[in-house]
Amino acid sequence: MKIAIVKERRPHETRVAATPETVKKLKALGAEVTIEAGAGTVAAYTDEAYAEAGATIAPDAASAIAAGDIVFKIQRPMTAEEGFDELGLLRQGQTLMSPLGALTNKELVQALASRGVTSFALELIPRITRAQSMDILSSQANLAGYKAVLLAANNYGRIFPQMMTPGGTLAPSRSFIMGVGVAGLQAIATARRLGSVVTATDVRPATKEQVQSLGAKFVAVEDEEFKAAETAGGYAKQMSPEYQAKQAALVADHIKLQDIVITTALIPGRKAPVLVSEEMVRTMKPGSVIVDMAVEQGGNCPLSEFGKVVEKYGVKIVGPANLPGELATDASALFSRNLLNFITPMVDKETKALTINLEDEVVKGTLVTRDGQIVHPSLTQA
């Protein structure tokens, strides 16, 4: 079993798919590991550290990928049209383990199938207990929620906590977290640690108790539709226009009083829902800050711009390009452990070879292409 890791070349990407720690553990599984020179430099992992862990350092991406039967990546492969042809370096019979955005990047999935690449889309790891340690979305979202609050604090012209000073008392900030998944829960906890008065909203009823357990107040229209607003996989359902209108009215009243708004709402395979309209932004206090964590999928606020901080109606709107990438060392450490936990059950203890069990729930949930075919049910249904 030969594993290759290359330097990530997409804009704003600073992470790497293996660390010296996981290289040692992959070696213990019986793998040979090849890493492109400089792959971990931005994340503070040196070539020397990788070499000491037992990896072979390759001079470029082509030689690294050529040395591997299995390729680990943080981002989906780039194409020649995107500036560097990573896809073209993959060969028939290789296995790719990477987030692919498979539900929306169907041309990439077809190209992988056509090249005879076996590919696993790591964003599709099922939300089951056994797979928690493999869940790249949760590990990266946790860090993103933390960093989003720090970005908000950095762009906010006042302090977060209440402060008693000789010149008088400074009131605490008010933070509103929209979407209470992993990122939202971490944002709540971080804003609370910084001393903000925190409220949060989500369409899933199970989140109310979670919000309250962190010392925040829950804000939502709690009608019959709300009580059934969660999928079996733990994701938010698409809500009816009627519910969206009621929720928007409640949020519009609440948002006028907020200093910080952090939006985290994503629906897998779809454009991010609009949570903060332009009219809502108009009503916010001058100096307020919005951090739109969904900007890469269209944004929860139509005024946010990818990779930029813009000011509209006196409100700063932050559209971060890659929040986990701003914590590259820790984000890489968590992602690489997720990958290690993902591949370990597939390694035959005697032969040390990769064995793909098509009856395994994690394999079925993530396997996208194999033997020249697209095999994932979500992509093969008419």
Side-chain angles (χ1 to χ4, degrees):
M1 183 173 64
K2 299 178 180 179
I3 297 173
I5 293 98
V6 294
K7 181 179 179 180
E8 298 292 334
R9 288 176 164 80
R10 287 193 180 275
H12 311 291
E13 188 52 78
T14 57
R15 296 169 291 173
V16 62
T19 64
E21 174 201 14
T22 58
V23 166
K24 288 180 182 178
K25 292 178 178 178
L26 290 168
K27 294 279 289 182
L29 285 176
E32 296 178 22
V33 182
T34 301
I35 297 182
E36 181 185 356
T41 302
V42 180
Y45 297 111
T46 64
D47 291 346
E48 291 77 14
Y50 284 119
E52 288 175 9
T56 299
I57 308 301
D60 52 39
S63 54
I65 289 177
D69 305 315
I70 302 164
V71 178
F72 285 176
K73 284 189 91 302
I74 291 274
Q75 294 269 6
R76 68 186 186 277
M78 294 177 70
T79 63
E81 292 74 21
E82 292 174 307
F84 187 86
D85 193 7
E86 293 176 318
L87 184 62
L89 297 178
L90 297 171
R91 65 179 184 271
Q92 184 174 354
Q94 275 186 317
T95 297
L96 173 65
M97 297 181 177
S98 169
L100 298 175
L103 299 181
T104 52
N105 295 303
K106 295 184 181 179
E107 288 185 7
L108 171 63
V109 172
Q110 183 59 64
L112 289 168
S114 298
R115 296 189 72 83
V117 175
T118 297
S119 63
F120 291 88
L122 300 181
E123 77 277 4
L124 299 179
I125 287 173
R127 291 196 163 181
I128 57 175
T129 301
R130 180 167 63 85
Q132 285 180 350
S133 65
M134 312 171 191
D135 189 351
I136 61 159
L137 296 183
S138 291
S139 73
Q140 302 304 290
N142 195 31
L143 294 175
Y146 165 81
K147 187 64 177 181
V149 176
L150 299 189
L151 281 180
N154 194 47
N155 282 279
Y156 185 48
R158 297 166 56 193
I159 63 168
F160 259 50
Q162 178 175 300
M163 190 175 290
M164 313 290 286
T165 79
T169 299
L170 296 173
S173 62
R174 294 184 174 274
S175 297
F176 184 36
I177 314 302
M178 303 185 72
V180 190
V182 174
L185 288 169
Q186 183 57 249
I188 292 169
T190 303
R192 288 272 298 156
R193 288 189 202 105
L194 291 178
S196 191
V197 176
V198 182
T199 53
T201 189
D202 197 288
V203 298
R204 296 168 298 157
T207 60
K208 180 177 181 179
E209 186 176 341
Q210 295 170 333
V211 167
Q212 292 172 335
S213 72
L214 290 171
K217 182 180 177 181
F218 190 70
V219 177
V221 175
E222 299 184 47
D223 61 9
E224 290 303 313
E225 184 175 358
F226 171 79
K227 294 175 183 177
E230 189 169 345
T231 69
Y235 293 101
K237 286 183 178 179
Q238 183 76 33
M239 304 300 283
S240 70
E242 292 77 16
Y243 182 89
Q244 291 178 25
K246 289 188 289 184
Q247 178 73 357
L250 178 65
V251 167
D253 285 337
H254 187 68
I255 215 166
K256 297 174 186 177
L257 306 174
Q258 305 307 305
D259 302 301
I260 306 296
V261 176
I262 296 176
T263 68
T264 74
L266 290 170
I267 300 172
R270 297 187 185 181
K271 187 178 184 295
V274 172
L275 301 183
V276 182
S277 67
E278 182 172 356
E279 187 55 40
M280 291 179 190
V281 177
R282 285 176 183 268
T283 69
M284 293 179 69
K285 295 181 288 185
S288 300
V289 177
I290 298 170
V291 179
D292 188 346
M293 293 180 65
V295 67
E296 191 170 1
Q297 285 184 224
N300 296 142
C301 176
L303 301 179
S304 63
E305 296 183 28
F306 180 74
K308 295 181 180 180
V309 178
V310 297
E311 188 164 328
K312 304 285 185 180
Y313 311 113
V315 177
K316 282 187 178 180
I317 306 170
V318 184
N322 183 346
L323 280 168
E326 297 193 32
L327 300 164
T329 304
D330 287 333
S332 299
L334 293 181
F335 188 103
S336 62
R337 289 173 196 162
N338 293 148
L339 255 175
L340 174 68
N341 293 332
F342 179 75
I343 197 173
T344 297
M346 300 186 200
V347 179
D348 186 280
K349 292 182 180 179
E350 293 184 5
T351 66
K352 308 300 183 184
L354 188 73
T355 58
I356 298 175
N357 177 10
L358 298 177
E359 299 303 313
D360 183 274
E361 191 172 359
V362 175
V363 170
K364 287 192 291 185
T366 55
L367 184 63
V368 173
T369 62
R370 192 181 193 216
D371 298 330
Q373 301 293 320
I374 297 172
V375 297
H376 196 280
S378 296
L379 297 169
T380 57
Q381 295 167 356

